[in-house]
Amino acid sequence: MLSAAGRRLSRSSASAIVWREVSGQHRLTIDGCVPSTKLPRDWSAMSKAFNAGGYEWQIKYEPYGYGASWRDKYISVELVYGGMLPTDPVEFAFSLLDGAGEPVPRFTRSTAPEISCFAGDHRRKQGFPDFIRWKDLEDSGCLKDNRFAIQCDITVIKDWALNTSDGDGENAADDAAAPAVAGVFVPPPDLHERLGELLTKKTAADVTIGVGGETFDAHGSLLAARSPAFWTDLLAAPKVKVPSGRRRVEIQGIEPRVFEAMLHYMYTDALPEAMEEGDVVAVARGLIVAADQYKIERLKLMCEEMLCNRIDVDNVAGTLVVAEQHGCRALRDACVEFIAAPGNLKAVMETEGYEKIKANCPTVLLEYAMKHLPRSDS
């Protein structure tokens, strides 16, 4: 008979951690460089959203730089993270591209060997305030026909715990000696692409929505998941059967192009890429109204940021009215700050939109007067 000591079984385990770099890149063309230098100093623009390393990003272009870099006439670029949870470690670089589309080493800025982590807080934007001086860009030969291009290379460092085993006796020894299994690369999520195809192809659509004389086919369950408030309105609307058997509802007070952009966002979490620059301000204002009505908060914030970057004399009045009526505090403050800039108030007062401010935002004018008009001492 074996003793108690002899009956003890040894246990051991083994695992491996495999580090892997997942890379991606995005090229951004800036067309119309000279006009961009005539805009307000705090103006900036964002690229379309793109995926790299399993995360969603955008590039922020600031022709006057940010921080103190504007004094030396630098162009600044920033990488902007589109998520909320912290990322894996990230290395990234921005490069000016030559006429052949190749990076120019002299005008390449990289975070390596340092690594960065992004999150949906103050770490959402990171970049280079002194990416390149305007004079260096003009002398580089890369500025052609009033345009130039930059490339952003992103490398995300991921780790996987592999080959975990937990055995006893002689099997445990075999497990510990077993070679590590090769890491499996998991591609980035593509749910937004699949849902976008669902919207485009109208597969299994069960509701038709009439907006301003145009119709849109959609999927009721998805709309309900994205905006319960939107779905409640659909359920309350008069229902008309169409030949396809789908339920048809009519929506009032939203332009078709605005509704189309909102529908695209509800399926893909992004705005359409093909929006004309001349339409962006009007569509973004309409989207703020619609997003506020249907409680789509992220869409509302996206449009608020877009408008903050596009304020000018001609549109500030209409934008301020929308911001005041729909609780967009940051946008409201940006409009007031623009109007307060030297020379802007007189120019704004000469626009037709100024009457909208007087009619819809009297408190804003009162606040402005209290802060900026001279006071006489009694």
Side-chain angles (χ1 to χ4, degrees):
M1 180 179 294
L2 291 174
S3 66
R7 290 196 300 269
R8 284 202 302 264
L9 298 178
S10 63
R11 299 185 64 83
S12 63
S13 63
S15 66
I17 294 177
V18 178
W19 294 91
R20 174 164 295 179
E21 294 182 344
V22 182
S23 301
Q25 65 179 210
H26 184 80
R27 294 192 176 193
L28 175 65
T29 299
I30 292 87
D31 197 349
C33 299
V34 172
S36 77
T37 63
K38 299 177 182 179
L39 295 166
R41 184 167 56 80
D42 58 354
W43 180 89
S44 62
M46 299 282 281
S47 75
K48 73 174 185 179
F50 61 93
N51 193 286
Y55 299 104
E56 185 178 278
W57 311 94
Q58 288 178 282
I59 296 172
K60 187 173 186 180
Y61 163 69
E62 294 158 289
Y64 293 95
Y66 63 89
S69 62
W70 66 271
R71 294 190 179 92
D72 297 318
K73 299 187 183 228
Y74 274 101
I75 294 171
S76 299
V77 287
E78 291 182 279
L79 185 61
V80 183
Y81 173 48
M84 294 301 296
L85 297 177
T87 65
D88 291 302
V90 177
E91 293 179 352
F92 65 94
F94 284 98
S95 303
L96 179 68
L97 300 182
D98 62 21
E102 296 297 323
V104 180
R106 180 186 171 194
F107 300 118
T108 295
R109 301 293 307 276
S110 173
T111 59
E114 301 297 326
I115 59 172
S116 305
C117 285
F118 291 75
D121 49 24
H122 64 281
R123 295 173 293 168
R124 192 168 73 94
K125 297 185 292 185
Q126 300 180 51
F128 304 99
D130 54 352
F131 174 62
I132 187 172
R133 283 190 177 92
W134 272 105
K135 185 178 185 308
D136 292 337
L137 174 63
E138 293 164 355
D139 296 341
S140 69
C142 300
L143 181 62
K144 298 289 187 182
D145 299 323
N146 202 24
R147 70 170 65 182
F148 70 96
I150 58 177
Q151 177 174 295
C152 180
D153 291 277
I154 300 170
T155 299
V156 179
I157 304 171
K158 297 180 176 288
D159 70 278
W160 291 269
L162 302 171
N163 194 37
T164 300
S165 63
D166 188 2
D168 50 21
E170 58 186 59
N171 292 333
D174 292 340
D175 289 340
V181 179
V184 177
F185 170 67
V186 179
D190 62 354
L191 178 61
H192 63 289
E193 296 178 2
R194 303 286 80 81
L195 292 179
E197 291 176 2
L198 196 65
L199 174 63
T200 301
K201 296 177 181 177
K202 302 176 176 58
T203 306
D206 57 1
V207 60
T208 296
I209 305 169
V211 183
E214 297 185 24
T215 59
F216 302 88
D217 295 323
H219 304 78
S221 297
L222 188 144
L223 299 181
R226 296 293 280 160
S227 171
F230 182 82
W231 184 241
T232 298
D233 279 6
L234 291 182
L235 290 176
K239 305 171 183 64
V240 180
K241 287 289 186 179
V242 294
S244 65
R246 298 173 185 154
R247 193 158 50 94
R248 179 186 175 94
V249 294
E250 297 287 337
I251 289 184
Q252 306 295 330
I254 300 180
E255 291 184 57
R257 61 177 178 169
V258 172
F259 181 82
E260 183 176 19
M262 183 174 74
L263 197 62
H264 187 277
Y265 173 83
M266 294 174 80
Y267 277 76
T268 67
D269 250 4
L271 291 172
E273 296 177 5
M275 289 175 62
E276 295 290 337
E277 183 62 30
D279 294 336
V280 168
V281 170
V283 172
R285 287 177 187 165
L287 283 171
I288 283 180
V289 177
D292 191 33
Q293 177 180 346
Y294 293 118
K295 312 298 183 216
I296 310 176
E297 189 61 25
R298 183 172 180 271
L299 174 60
K300 183 179 174 183
L301 292 172
M302 286 173 58
C303 295
E304 187 174 355
E305 182 183 46
M306 290 169 60
L307 290 174
C308 281
N309 294 325
R310 288 172 169 81
I311 297 172
D312 60 30
V313 169
D314 294 324
N315 67 38
V316 66
T319 299
L320 177 56
V321 171
V322 170
E324 179 75 358
Q325 293 178 340
H326 296 278
C328 301
R329 184 70 188 184
L331 180 57
R332 176 188 186 274
D333 292 346
C335 290
V336 173
E337 183 179 347
F338 176 86
I339 294 172
N344 282 355
L345 177 59
K346 184 176 183 298
V348 172
M349 291 176 68
E350 293 173 353
T351 65
E352 295 180 4
Y354 184 67
E355 295 300 320
K356 294 182 180 178
I357 298 180
K358 292 197 297 183
N360 296 279
C361 308
T363 58
V364 173
L365 294 179
L366 179 60
E367 289 176 16
Y368 177 85
M370 295 293 290
K371 290 181 180 178
H372 298 282
L373 295 184
R375 290 180 291 180
S376 59
D377 296 328
S378 55

